[in-house]
Amino acid sequence: MRLLARARAALSIDLEKQEIRGPDGGMVRFEIDPYRKHCLLNGLDDIGLTMGKKDKIERFEESARAARPWA
């Protein structure tokens, strides 16, 4: 019965600290890939990550057009 009670208990997950806390005060640390942690904390998906490089992409496109005006 104790296991069932724990399964229904609310847990608190702190991604930044990488900790899970139970209602009884118990704490468990967990590992997560730094890249995934960064994405989750900043709400980034693949498109968001790409848009973060928008300035670099635009500079590349400008230089590519100048180097190959026929394309």
Side-chain angles (χ1 to χ4, degrees):
M1 186 65 170
R2 216 164 112 184
L3 180 60
L4 183 58
R6 285 180 177 226
R8 292 183 184 170
L11 299 175
S12 172
I13 300 171
D14 186 329
L15 179 58
E16 197 163 13
K17 292 180 181 177
Q18 295 179 217
E19 298 175 348
I20 301 171
R21 293 191 179 275
D24 62 354
M27 187 266 294
V28 176
R29 292 195 43 80
F30 64 92
E31 294 300 317
I32 184 169
D33 176 70
Y35 172 77
R36 292 288 171 213
K37 181 178 177 179
H38 169 77
C39 291
L40 288 168
L41 286 172
N42 294 289
L44 298 171
D45 59 6
D46 290 340
I47 294 171
L49 288 165
T50 300
M51 293 308 294
K53 299 177 193 293
K54 184 179 176 187
D55 293 341
K56 288 181 180 180
I57 293 168
E58 288 174 349
R59 283 195 304 273
F60 172 81
E61 290 293 330
E62 287 173 18
S63 66
R65 275 192 295 276
R68 299 175 290 136
W70 64 89

